[in-house]
Structure formats: C-alpha cells, structure tokens
C-alpha cells in the first residue's frame, strides 16, 4: 500500500505553476500548459498540460485535474508515472493510464493502469490500458497487458 498517500489531505489548497494559465470561466475550467507543477499538502503533480475543473457554489472549489504528457505524482519517497492522470478530488482517487510505474523506495511496479485510493492509501496496478491510451491509440512501450515488478528483499544471514 502507498502509505505516504494514505494520509493525504485532498481538501488542502491547490497551488499551480506553469508557462501559461487560461481561465475559461464560463466553462468552469482552467487550462494549464507548459511545465505544469501542482502542489497540494506535500503531493506534487507534474505534467505538460492540465485541465482543472471547478465549481462555484459559494466560492471556487477545484474538483478534478486531468493531466497529460509525462505525468508524475510524488509524495515522500513514493512516486507514480504515466501518460495520463485524472485526480478526482471529491472521490480522493488518482487514476493513471499508459506506461504506468509505481515506485516506493526500492520497490517498483509497472503496468497499464494505476489506481491510487487516497482514502485507504492502497495503490493497484493492472494491465488494463496497457495496449491503448485514453485516446484509443497504441501506447508505445506498454507492458502488453501484464504487470511487472521488483521488490527489495532485506539482507539475511
């Protein structure tokens, strides 16, 4: 389980930095592009492009981040990479698709899709999404629907 992510505060403020930020107020979304970096309570998400969906009920509440282009999510010594990521702040779920890799210290899992549940801290890697990306096109370097991994083993005498 992804323990550093188990206690993540998805209600914390979300800070954005990028080469350009376009607010599309009528559509309740923000388009962020170029070296995107998002921080929330010690969780960092980087990508080339992101769409931020929000609602305006008594204020501006960010409820979903859709990221593309070399997406990386890090917190503590844990990191996850993939082609595409969706962070659903309301459900506290991060879904990554396409060439995903989860690293925790010296442990590594690779596959087609990664689901991180911030409620439980559980991270699940499976082969789904390995052959095709969310746009339906083949994903280069996919794992062919299989999950692979390496786990570190302590030295024993």
């Amino acid at each position: 389980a992804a323990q550093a992510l188990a206690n993540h505060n998805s209600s914390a403020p979300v800070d954005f930095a990028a080469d350009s930020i376009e607010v599309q107020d009528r559509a309740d979304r923000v388009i962020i592009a170029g070296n995107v970096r998002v921080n929330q309570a010690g969780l960092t998400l980087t990508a080339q492009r992101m769409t931020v969906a929000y609602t305006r009920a008594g204020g501006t509440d960010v409820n979903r981040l859709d990221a593309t282009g070399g997406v990386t999510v890090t917190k503590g010594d844990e990191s996850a990479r993939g082609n595409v990521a969706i962070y659903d702040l309301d459900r506290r779920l991060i879904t990554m698709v396409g060439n995903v890799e989860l690293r925790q210290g010296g442990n590594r899992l690779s596959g087609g899709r990664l689901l991180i549940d911030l409620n439980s801290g559980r991270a699940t890697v499976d082969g789904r999404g390995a052959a095709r990306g969310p746009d339906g096109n083949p994903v280069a370097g996919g794992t062919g629907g299989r999950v692979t991994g390496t786990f570190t083993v302590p030295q024993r005498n």
Side-chain angles (χ1 to χ4, degrees), residues 11-124:
S11 298
V14 180
D15 298 318
F16 301 95
D19 293 342
S20 69
I21 297 177
E22 175 187 340
V23 177
Q24 297 178 350
D25 206 34
R26 288 186 181 169
D28 291 341
R29 72 177 171 221
V30 176
I31 307 298
I32 305 172
N35 301 308
V36 176
R37 184 175 185 86
V38 174
N39 291 298
Q40 183 190 45
L43 183 137
T44 302
L45 191 153
T46 60
Q48 284 305 304
R49 182 176 170 85
M50 184 179 301
T51 301
V52 179
Y54 62 89
T55 56
R56 290 179 290 170
T60 302
D61 295 323
V62 173
N63 51 29
R64 181 173 160 147
L65 307 175
D66 292 10
T68 59
V71 183
T72 302
V73 176
T74 57
K75 185 167 185 183
D77 73 341
E78 299 174 13
S79 67
R81 293 182 321 168
N83 295 344
V84 176
I86 298 168
Y87 177 11
D88 184 332
L89 282 82
D90 294 335
R91 294 177 55 209
R92 297 176 40 89
L93 295 173
I94 299 173
T95 305
M96 301 182 83
V97 178
N99 298 317
V100 300
E101 181 177 82
L102 175 64
R103 287 188 176 267
Q104 207 174 26
N107 302 320
R108 179 192 54 80
L109 290 174
S110 299
R113 184 179 69 161
L114 166 63
L115 178 64
I116 301 170
D117 184 336
L118 298 173
N119 294 304
S120 65
R122 179 176 291 176
T124 306

